[in-house]
Amino acid sequence: MKYLSTRGSIAPIGFKDAVMMGLATDGGLILPESIPHLDRATVAAWSKLPYRELAFNIISLFATDIPKQDLKELIDRSYASFNHADTTPLVKKNGVYILELFHGPTLAFKDVALQLLGNLFEYLLKERGQKMNILGATSGDTGSAAIAGVRGKENINIFILHPHLKTSPIQARQMTTVLDANVHNIAVKGTFDDCQDIVKTLFNDLPFKEKYALGAVNSINWARVLAQVVYYFYAWGRLPEQEEVIFSVPTGNFGDIFAGYLAKRMGLPVKKLLLATNENNILSRFVASGDYSLGQVVQTVSPSMDIQLASNLERYLYYLFNENPARVREAFAELRQTGRIVFSAEEQKQVQSEFLTCSVGEAETLKTIADFYRETGYTLDPHTAVGVHGALKCVTDGSSAVCLATAHPAKFGEAVEKAVGAPTPLPPQLAALAGLETRCEVMDADKDLVKAFLEAKAN
Ligand SMILES: *Cc1c(COP(=O)(O)O)cnc(C)c1O
């Protein structure tokens, strides 16, 4: 399997190079040259396999340049860190299915992708005799999943900046209690934007970037998308009837839902993908009316979806534009110049044949958590509640709906408590953090301080 860029200007590369490249060197996103198609019998047989076997079957269609035995070991190791025998169990509550994606080390769905990516990085760096220094900024969730993905790995250091005292205490502890020598938490006295600005500036410092082999773990890495395709098949295989279903996906960067789109293209019987957003609803507007125009980011109770520019949308646009990279380049030039992309009537029709959408406000989100808790005793986190609300409101044709549950409710305890009126019990993994030692470097928001720190710690 070879890979290309949505912008059309890289020579075809293999899977291993695609993982190491991250963002395509022409500024586009990496995609496979063709999407493998499975017949119905194969879909039916594979989707009933245990998680790791299914993951191996699907990922090996795309990772054709890694020896099968090595790939199998990488996958087994990645999902051994999950604390549920089903890895991503499917439960039914109140007439909808909930696909629990939060049984990984940091109790968020990003673990599904980042556990695999961490192992892939370690494997490929060793093979190539290279080292990597991962640098990133986080407002909470992604940072801890990235750290959990690479802690203790050889030839990798990770430097994660977070705004000092501005992440939730649990999220800060999830990061700073990781004491492995290759993990470096930096608490910046400033905002999340200050953290991001510093990271961007250092990535733009090309001699520095090269010298320290700076790497990123953001959601545009192809391996992350690929890892997420697996659970769509897995969920479908656990339904009592093998029918066409709707997946409801709480969406921020469009990575998770794009994996669902790929699963559909591979032959999974998906009727529609329901794109659920919070008040940051640029993607909902795109689906509902072809209006893709940037607004201001607003803060919500589902902060991991507080995003305007959805980095993975470009992958879908490549297919919407009939795999024409010139049209992709044009669209992003238009976005840069005018702050929006305009779609033809035909394109809008195509989008609506594949997606439903629902934009859910804070009151509705909290009410969904409260109602669900009262009626079923099951606690939704605020991100998951956005998708569940979408499914209860927008799936009106009697289809079965599978809602992706992207975080454990205890990670967003404050919002959940506001909704249900009582604190959510902490799972043992989070409760144990309270007594642990922490390590973190507190720093002024100054790129030179971060740079000097990285120089001192990188090896
Ligand atoms: C990242 C995240 C999302 C959004 O996923 P995307 O792939 O960015 O669309 C939803 N919920 C939680 C809890 C997340 O951490």
Side-chain angles (χ1 to χ4, degrees):
M1 175 71 75
K2 292 287 183 196
Y3 290 83
L4 46 71
S5 162
T6 51
R7 307 259 173 122
S9 307
I10 66 168
I13 54 175
F15 176 78
K16 295 196 283 196
D17 288 331
V19 174
M20 295 309 283
M21 194 178 277
L23 188 70
T25 45
D26 64 358
L29 300 191
I30 291 174
L31 281 172
E33 269 186 346
S34 63
I35 301 174
H37 193 269
L38 306 175
D39 60 35
R40 185 67 182 254
T42 307
V43 170
W46 284 16
S47 64
K48 292 203 169 56
L49 291 171
Y51 193 91
R52 294 179 210 175
E53 285 176 46
L54 170 64
F56 173 75
N57 284 1
I58 289 178
I59 294 170
S60 57
L61 295 173
F62 293 90
T64 48
D65 55 359
I66 296 184
K68 291 214 182 295
Q69 191 53 38
D70 292 359
L71 188 63
K72 192 170 174 332
E73 279 168 25
L74 289 167
I75 290 170
D76 285 350
R77 210 157 4 108
S78 301
Y79 299 109
S81 63
F82 279 59
N83 69 11
H84 195 290
D86 292 344
T87 310
T88 61
L90 186 74
V91 299
K92 188 174 190 187
K93 302 280 169 193
N94 245 5
V96 294
Y97 293 92
I98 311 261
L99 178 62
E100 295 184 343
L101 301 175
F102 52 72
H103 293 282
T106 73
L107 306 181
F109 99 101
K110 289 189 171 67
D111 290 327
V112 178
L114 286 167
Q115 286 293 306
L116 180 66
L117 186 64
N119 283 317
L120 279 169
F121 275 158
E122 184 180 50
Y123 175 83
L124 297 174
L125 289 168
K126 184 164 187 199
E127 186 175 89
R128 295 172 180 208
Q130 294 171 352
K131 292 180 191 297
M132 182 191 273
N133 289 293
I134 292 170
L135 175 64
T138 186
S139 56
D141 229 19
T142 315
S144 58
I147 287 170
V150 304
R151 63 183 297 179
K153 300 258 185 286
E154 284 175 40
N155 302 317
I156 305 179
N157 291 302
I158 184 165
F159 298 83
I160 295 290
L161 280 59
H162 69 265
H164 186 43
L165 303 177
K166 291 203 178 86
T167 61
S168 81
I170 280 195
Q171 293 189 335
R173 294 194 79 80
Q174 278 191 301
M175 296 189 281
T176 58
T177 53
V178 179
L179 301 180
D180 299 71
N182 71 330
V183 173
H184 305 283
N185 281 289
I186 302 173
V188 171
K189 289 185 200 157
T191 62
F192 172 58
D193 286 340
D194 294 329
C195 297
Q196 252 187 335
D197 284 345
I198 292 171
V199 167
K200 269 190 205 152
T201 310
L202 295 186
F203 269 99
N204 285 332
D205 181 344
L206 293 182
F208 181 74
K209 179 178 175 220
E210 297 251 299
K211 178 164 181 210
Y212 290 99
L214 293 192
V217 285
N218 42 26
S219 70
I220 48 90
N221 195 294
W222 165 249
R224 283 186 63 172
V225 174
L226 178 57
Q228 296 175 177
V229 172
V230 175
Y231 50 69
Y232 285 90
F233 282 88
Y234 187 81
W236 188 80
R238 265 102 208 131
L239 293 168
E241 278 177 59
Q242 263 59 68
E243 50 180 333
E244 274 205 321
V245 294
I246 292 174
F247 282 97
S248 181
V249 188
T251 297
N253 259 322
F254 203 82
D256 202 1
I257 198 165
F258 181 74
Y261 173 78
L262 278 177
K264 183 171 194 234
R265 300 257 322 214
M266 289 174 70
L268 189 69
V270 177
K271 187 178 255 173
K272 298 242 175 154
L273 294 159
L274 196 168
L275 188 159
T277 66
N278 60 29
E279 291 93 330
N280 296 288
N281 63 359
I282 178 170
L283 289 170
S284 278
R285 288 186 276 115
F286 160 65
V287 173
S289 61
D291 170 20
Y292 192 75
S293 55
L294 294 178
Q296 290 291 319
V297 179
V298 298
Q299 279 189 5
T300 72
V301 288
S302 44
S304 300
M305 292 151 59
D306 292 348
I307 282 163
Q308 282 291 328
L309 249 186
S311 49
N312 272 294
L313 183 71
E314 179 163 345
R315 289 194 158 106
Y316 173 68
L317 295 185
Y318 177 79
Y319 293 112
L320 180 64
F321 298 153
N322 297 315
E323 307 183 25
N324 176 359
R327 174 79 177 96
V328 175
R329 288 197 299 270
E330 223 174 76
F332 281 91
E334 183 186 345
L335 182 67
R336 225 179 9 258
Q337 280 156 18
T338 66
R340 61 185 308 202
I341 302 175
V342 174
F343 296 91
S344 71
E346 203 179 314
E347 286 162 352
Q348 286 181 46
K349 224 173 105 193
Q350 177 66 27
V351 173
Q352 288 173 359
S353 74
E354 291 164 334
F355 295 92
L356 296 169
T357 192
C358 190
S359 164
V360 185
E362 176 164 330
E364 292 164 312
T365 304
L366 296 179
K367 183 168 186 307
T368 303
I369 297 173
D371 290 349
F372 221 78
Y373 182 70
R374 200 181 52 247
E375 287 158 18
T376 68
Y378 187 90
T379 315
L380 302 167
D381 102 283
H383 304 78
T384 307
V386 165
V388 168
H389 180 87
L392 293 173
K393 189 171 134 194
C394 307
V395 178
T396 49
D397 65 353
S399 299
S400 290
V402 177
C403 303
L404 274 53
T406 51
H408 189 289
K411 289 196 77 168
F412 298 92
E414 215 176 298
V416 173
E417 181 167 352
K418 197 168 155 193
V420 306
T424 309
L426 285 184
Q429 242 164 311
L430 293 183
L433 295 178
L436 297 182
E437 191 185 332
T438 62
R439 181 159 54 79
C440 179
E441 195 75 18
V442 181
M443 241 177 248
D444 285 331
D446 176 346
K447 72 162 177 27
D448 290 324
L449 292 176
V450 176
K451 200 170 164 175
F453 180 75
L454 197 145
E455 282 168 337
K457 301 288 178 184
N459 45 40

